Amino acid sequence: MTTQFRLGGDLTIDRLGFGAMRLPQSSPGGSARDPESGRAVLRRAVELGVNHIDTADFYRSQDGSVRANTLIREALSPYPDDLVIATKVGPVFGPGGPRPGSAADLRPQVEANLASLGLDRLDLVYLRIGAMEPPHGESLAERFEALAALREEGLIRHLGISNVDAGHLAEARTIAPVTAVQNNFHIANRDETAVLEACTQAGIAFVPFFPLGGGRADINDPGLIKVAERHDATAPQIALAWLLALSPVALAIPGTGSVAHLEENLAARSIILTEQDLADLA
C-alpha cells in the first residue's frame, strides 16, 4: 500500500493526515480547550510526518476564544515547505446555527481563512454544501463558479467539494478541476461508496470527515474487534487502516486534542491489512 498521495498532481502528502476540528473544543458546544495543548498536538503531528492538516475558520470554541486556524499559525508558522493546509467554506454561522451560504459569502470566508492562517494563498479549499449529508438535487454551480474565480485570482491553489453526491461531483468538474472530495464516511457508514468509486476512477482524493465516526456512530463490530486483536491494535487503528486500504485515493484526517491519542492514530500507518482482514471487515 502506498503511503503517499499526489494531491492535484503537484502536492505530495501523507495519506494519514490530521483534522483540526477538535483542537478548540472537545465537542460542539463544549468548553474551550487549553490553547497550548492544541499547539503541542500540532507540533507533534508535524514531527511525526503529518503534512496534511484539515481545518476551517469556523472551527472555534463556543465563546470564540480558541480557534483552530490561529493555533495552526501560532504553532507551525513559518510553515514547513511540504505542509498542505486544507480548509473549507460555505456555511454561514449565526444565532440560529449554520445555514448554507451564497456565492457572495465565499470571498469573505476565503479572506478570513487567509488572514487567520497568515497565508497569501490557500492550498486546498472545499466548498461545503448541506450539513452532514449531501443535499441531493441542489445545484452547487453558482457557488463553485465563485470559488473557481478566486482560484483564478491566485487566492486558492486547488478546489474541493464536501457533502456532495456523484451528481454534484460531475457538475463541479464541468466548471473547474476538483482535487478532493470530503464526505461523511467511515467503517460503520459506507453510504458514499459511489462517490469514493467516482473519485478513484478520476484520481481525485476522497477525504472522509469523521473517519472514526466523530462520536456520532459506534464503529465497533465483531469483525473489527477480531481484526484488531489479530494485529494487537485498537479498533480505531484498524478503522483507519481499513480506510487507507479501500482505495489509493482515500485519505484519512482523524482529529484529537491529545498528543497520546494523536500518536495512537498515526500508528495506524504501519498496519497492513490482509485479504482475510478485509474479508472480515467487508
Side-chain angles (χ1 to χ4, degrees), residues 41 46 80 116:
V41 168
V46 171
S116 56

Side-chain angles (χ1 to χ4, degrees), residues 210-235:
F210 294 156
L212 296 175
R216 299 167 181 257
D218 181 8
I219 64 169
N220 296 288
D221 65 32
L224 185 65
I225 300 302
K226 180 180 179 180
V227 174
E229 290 174 348
R230 189 181 294 152
H231 286 268
D232 192 23
T234 67

Side-chain angles (χ1 to χ4, degrees), residues 166-237:
H168 293 126
L169 176 57
E171 181 183 35
R173 294 183 71 198
T174 67
I175 297 167
V178 176
T179 296
V181 172
Q182 192 174 111
N183 276 17
N184 184 18
F185 185 91
H186 49 77
I187 198 165
N189 174 16
R190 312 183 190 191
D191 293 347
E192 302 302 325
T193 299
V195 179
L196 168 61
E197 291 173 351
C199 288
T200 301
Q201 292 173 7
I204 295 169
F206 183 78
V207 192
F209 65 83
F210 294 156
L212 296 175
R216 299 167 181 257
D218 181 8
I219 64 169
N220 296 288
D221 65 32
L224 185 65
I225 300 302
K226 180 180 179 180
V227 174
E229 290 174 348
R230 189 181 294 152
H231 286 268
D232 192 23
T234 67
Q237 286 172 333

